Amino acid sequence: MAEKNFTIAELSQFDGQNGHPAYVAVDGTVYDVSNVDAWTGGQHHGNVAGKNLSAAILKSPHGKGVLQKLPVMGTLTE
């Protein structure tokens, strides 16, 4: 699948709820967290899929290194 550009409104549809995939954006890149066990139901330690989590990941114990393992779905356009 080709990468696409996501607006905030489009990204919000990928919330991991009701069968939707779970995507998150960090530093302008949109990642698919659907197959990450810690993201079951579109939530992970108080964070919710379908959002720009650039600020939140800076406070996480794992940091940005975990992103390298995730499929890139596209780019977040503001």
Side-chain angles (χ1 to χ4, degrees):
M1 180 169 113
E3 289 184 20
K4 74 172 264 166
N5 291 326
F6 292 84
T7 64
I8 289 286
E10 289 170 329
L11 180 64
S12 71
Q13 297 172 25
F14 296 91
D15 60 2
Q17 301 289 310
N18 301 315
H20 296 135
Y23 294 177
V24 299
V26 176
D27 296 339
T29 301
V30 177
Y31 299 93
D32 185 347
V33 295
S34 302
N35 294 321
V36 177
D37 289 341
W39 276 96
T40 300
Q43 296 187 28
H44 174 61
H45 294 292
N47 296 301
V48 180
K51 301 200 179 294
N52 182 349
L53 298 180
S54 298
I57 199 166
L58 297 176
K59 300 173 188 159
S60 70
H62 53 65
K64 295 180 184 177
V66 70
L67 300 173
Q68 298 171 19
K69 304 173 192 168
L70 299 173
V72 173
M73 303 311 292
T75 304
L76 182 65
T77 57
E78 299 286 334

